[in-house]
Amino acid sequence: MKQYINTQKAPEAIGPYSQCVVLNEMVYTSGQLGLIPESMKFPEGGIEAQSKQALHNLKNVLEAAESSLDHVLKITCFIADMNDFAAFNQVYAEFFNQSKPARSCVEVARLPKNALIELEAIAYKA
């Protein structure tokens, strides 16, 4: 059974899509930017602050889908500047210090709202 997930603990979708779709026990998130849900603005502090917020948003979407960061199988990271890779990895490691899902990280020409980072994940329900 397919279920669409939306939570107020993550930024609302900025287009015609859901924050997350669950099919059976699999969880597929849409890309999460580092936007603060209440203001829909980016936090001050560059790549570190946006990475931390994007990871919090991803965590909140997963929890709304009855999953968690520990249940992530694969993450795709879209980064606006590969020179920020090391700084992003430091923040990422704080969230994934136990589990280490498969991951791809690619530099892109531009992200929605000129974000510095966007993260999407595939997980399973807890």
Side-chain angles (χ1 to χ4, degrees), residues 17-39:
Y17 57 88
S18 298
Q19 293 170 333
C20 180
V21 176
V22 177
L23 179 63
N24 300 323
E25 298 301 310
M26 296 302 298
V27 178
Y28 303 87
T29 73
S30 293
Q32 294 299 308
L33 302 176
L35 292 167
I36 300 166
E38 298 80 15
S39 66

Side-chain angles (χ1 to χ4, degrees), residues 27 51 64 120:
V27 178
S51 297
E120 66 180 30

Side-chain angles (χ1 to χ4, degrees), residues 93-114:
E94 294 172 21
F95 286 78
F96 291 99
N97 57 5
Q98 296 285 328
S99 66
K100 300 205 179 352
R103 187 181 95 175
S104 299
C105 188
V106 296
E107 182 180 65
V108 295
R110 191 168 176 208
L111 289 165
K113 295 188 170 273
N114 293 315

Side-chain angles (χ1 to χ4, degrees), residues 2 6 12 18-19 23-24 29 40 46 52 61 63 65 71-72 78 86 96-99 120 122-123:
K2 186 164 50 170
N6 290 291
E12 64 184 54
S18 298
Q19 293 170 333
L23 179 63
N24 300 323
T29 73
M40 292 297 286
K52 190 174 211 169
V61 168
E63 288 175 356
H71 292 94
V72 172
F78 305 95
F96 291 99
N97 57 5
Q98 296 285 328
S99 66
E120 66 180 30
I122 299 171

